[in-house]
Amino acid sequence: MEHKFSIINVFRELPLEEMMADAKNLNIDYKAKKLDSMTLFALLAQGYLMTDRLSQRYVCEEGRLLSLKELYGIEVHQGKISHSSLSERLSVINPQFFEDTYKLLYNKILDKYGFYPLAKSNIVRVDTTYVAETANRLLEGIQTGVNDRFGGERKQIKYGIAYDGFGALVADIFSKQTESGDEVALASTVKDAISRNDGHYQVYTFDRGVNSAKNLKDISALTDEHKTTFVARMKLNRRLKIVKERSVSDITDPDGEYELLRDCDVQLRKPDSQKWDESITYRVIRVRFAKPRPKSPKSGHERKYQDEMLLITNDFKSDAIVIANEYKTRWSIEVFFRFLKQNLSFSHLLSVNLNGIKVMLYMTLIMALLVKLFELETDQGPTMAILDMKIQIANWLYLNNKSHQKEDHCHPVKSSECG
């Protein structure tokens, strides 16, 4: 079967010259004999597509098995790499190279396709997620409260992501115990994402993990500064001072999933005070779900679902139903997290120190961009897209090795007949 869209061509169209220039500028290959930055990138990228669970040993063996030089068209080390060499390299290589590579690739795809065809909206979904390892492996992390099943100890790394519907605009790592709560981690990621706004009008949505009056005021000030807005969820029992009632024009959303109950302008209490903060006003919308929320199966604890939600925003112009639908879009970041964890080994930490973890965070996001691009071009879901990518690479490897057997003098990097 002939593929109209080739993942091989995608790999060869990566911004390789810019990447090599960045590596030289960062001076990250000083004294690196086998695992220079481009070789490490090539090995890790291949590993994501050739196995469902990355491991250091697999990546090391892959150095012998795959035709990386021919696939990428660049000089990379080919041969046996020791497990200890990979582990040490991940712990010391400057992760800025991988962050820069992600931004280069994201902007290159953006230039080709445009923002709205890719993201399909101007909504930025912000959330955090945990990845856990046993305490004797992870060198630094957050202690979890769920310990009994893991020998009494377990540590976690927390990731904060701002997702625009196609890729991550911001990716933060939290490993300190003081960063375990979303009032710190999620609020920090939201502020980081808004601060990096490049002039586009974007709506920042996030869940009720951010609840403090101070954080909400800071976020509102940042969005005002960047001429954007935010929509977040609040706790239903939050005390509010109503300063203006608004009429609810559209009672039910077009999909019939929820109905609007109330729309008003409010003030919150000052931080650590019983007085109302009259210096800032928010808009609060109360929504009721049209259908009863699903109940979780009985287990160690039952999850509670509320039939109503309270949304807070600093958008005073849009219709209430539009704002409710903007928050509804936030759910897609949960799908994005599931894609990273189930399809791209995000839950498995290839390195157990923070330097290596940051490297792998950006490598995962790089591969997520490539898979998303492949999905867009082939109109497939992520699972089938990755399978199709694997098949293309396997076929290319077979044909490439076959051409080597026929013509030993042929050099695939220079000859188009050998690929």
Side-chain angles (χ1 to χ4, degrees):
M1 176 180 175
E2 182 180 351
H3 294 276
K4 295 181 179 179
F5 186 74
S6 169
I7 190 60
I8 305 301
N9 291 338
V10 171
F11 276 123
R12 288 177 172 173
E13 291 173 3
L14 290 171
L16 300 174
E17 290 185 5
E18 294 96 326
M19 290 167 62
M20 287 186 281
D22 187 50
K24 184 177 180 180
N25 183 56
L26 293 171
N27 195 30
I28 61 175
D29 291 329
Y30 177 67
K31 292 186 177 180
K33 296 179 180 179
K34 295 181 179 179
L35 279 173
D36 62 272
S37 54
M38 298 302 293
T39 298
L40 182 59
F41 172 84
L43 283 170
L44 293 174
Q46 283 299 100
Y48 278 98
L49 293 178
M50 299 304 287
T51 180
D52 294 329
R53 184 178 173 85
L54 269 182
S55 70
Q56 291 187 6
R57 295 192 183 281
Y58 184 92
V59 173
C60 291
E61 289 298 320
E62 187 181 294
R64 290 191 302 149
L65 297 174
L66 301 186
S67 302
L68 294 172
K69 183 185 294 186
E70 289 79 6
L71 177 59
Y72 287 90
I74 56 175
E75 288 294 328
V76 295
H77 172 80
Q78 295 198 231
K80 180 69 174 178
I81 297 171
S82 71
H83 174 269
S84 59
S85 296
L86 177 62
S87 179
E88 181 182 356
R89 186 65 168 144
L90 285 172
S91 69
V92 297
I93 191 171
N94 190 347
Q96 187 63 46
F97 168 76
F98 297 89
E99 183 176 352
D100 292 345
T101 297
Y102 173 78
K103 292 175 181 177
L104 279 169
L105 182 59
Y106 177 89
N107 290 328
K108 183 176 181 179
I109 296 174
L110 207 66
D111 290 341
K112 181 176 181 180
Y113 292 90
F115 175 76
Y116 287 103
L118 291 174
K120 300 181 181 178
S121 75
N122 63 337
I123 299 172
V124 178
R125 306 84 161 160
V126 190
D127 207 350
T128 60
T129 188
Y130 275 113
V131 171
E133 281 285 351
T134 53
N136 63 335
R137 291 193 61 223
L138 194 59
L139 301 182
E140 183 179 342
I142 300 168
Q143 289 290 136
T144 177
V146 185
N147 288 331
D148 292 342
R149 289 177 295 164
F150 305 99
E153 290 184 344
R154 189 174 183 176
K155 291 181 181 178
Q156 298 181 350
I157 290 292
K158 197 170 196 177
Y159 296 100
I161 301 281
Y163 172 63
D164 68 1
F166 180 72
L169 299 177
V170 168
D172 294 329
I173 297 176
F174 303 95
S175 61
K176 298 178 181 178
Q177 196 65 36
T178 54
E179 299 168 330
S180 60
D182 274 343
E183 203 64 73
V184 175
L186 180 55
S188 175
T189 307
V190 172
K191 294 173 188 178
D192 193 5
I194 299 170
S195 298
R196 298 193 198 186
N197 182 280
D198 59 359
H200 288 94
Y201 174 74
Q202 294 175 310
V203 182
Y204 295 86
T205 66
F206 49 95
D207 209 349
R208 53 191 170 186
V210 179
N211 194 55
S212 77
K214 183 183 184 307
N215 274 329
L216 290 172
K217 190 172 184 177
D218 290 345
I219 289 169
S220 183
L222 272 174
T223 53
D224 288 344
E225 179 185 340
H226 290 273
K227 295 180 173 56
T228 64
T229 57
F230 78 91
V231 182
R233 189 173 178 179
M234 300 180 72
K235 294 180 179 179
L236 286 173
N237 60 356
R238 183 67 178 262
R239 296 193 65 181
L240 310 168
K241 179 183 177 182
I242 310 298
V243 297
K244 177 184 176 181
E245 288 281 359
R246 294 169 174 262
S247 61
V248 181
S249 54
D250 296 314
I251 303 299
T252 308
D253 80 297
D255 296 330
E257 292 186 13
Y258 47 79
E259 58 183 346
L260 305 180
L261 300 179
R262 196 176 187 183
D263 184 3
C264 52
D265 294 354
V266 307
Q267 292 171 350
L268 304 180
R269 292 193 187 278
K270 293 181 178 180
D272 302 321
S273 172
Q274 292 300 311
K275 296 181 179 180
W276 299 106
D277 189 350
E278 298 179 354
S279 66
I280 183 168
T281 300
Y282 304 92
R283 184 179 180 184
V284 167
I285 301 166
R286 196 176 189 95
V287 174
R288 176 190 293 146
F289 296 101
K291 297 179 181 179
R293 306 294 288 150
K295 305 300 180 184
S296 61
K298 290 184 178 181
S299 58
H301 67 280
E302 288 229 17
R303 205 172 163 188
K304 294 181 180 179
Y305 289 88
Q306 296 174 323
D307 293 325
E308 296 180 6
M309 66 179 177
L310 207 60
L311 303 179
I312 184 170
T313 180
N314 61 345
D315 181 353
F316 296 94
K317 297 179 180 179
S318 302
D319 290 339
I321 199 69
V322 172
I323 294 171
N325 280 325
E326 287 172 343
Y327 180 79
K328 176 183 172 183
T329 308
R330 190 206 69 84
W331 175 252
S332 63
I333 195 172
E334 305 289 353
V335 179
F336 182 62
F337 282 146
R338 187 172 62 193
F339 158 64
L340 295 179
K341 291 180 178 182
Q342 293 184 355
N343 297 101
L344 293 177
S345 298
F346 195 55
S347 293
H348 177 62
L349 298 176
L350 189 68
S351 177
V352 293
N353 66 70
L354 289 179
N355 193 84
I357 288 170
K358 188 167 185 178
V359 169
M360 296 311 300
L361 166 62
Y362 279 101
M363 276 304 307
T364 303
L365 294 178
I366 288 167
M367 295 312 299
L369 281 183
L370 296 181
V371 174
K372 288 281 187 181
L373 177 61
F374 199 86
E375 287 182 54
L376 182 72
E377 290 283 1
T378 60
D379 193 25
Q380 298 182 95
T383 301
M384 293 307 299
I386 291 175
L387 177 60
D388 199 353
M389 293 164 78
K390 288 181 178 180
I391 291 172
Q392 286 194 26
I393 291 174
N395 287 340
W396 180 87
L397 287 171
Y398 171 76
L399 294 174
N400 182 68
N401 291 333
K402 195 172 181 180
S403 67
H404 270 296
Q405 293 172 8
K406 289 182 178 180
E407 298 185 59
D408 291 335
H409 65 277
C410 180
H411 197 290
V413 180
K414 298 181 180 179
S415 174
S416 60
E417 285 106 26
C418 299

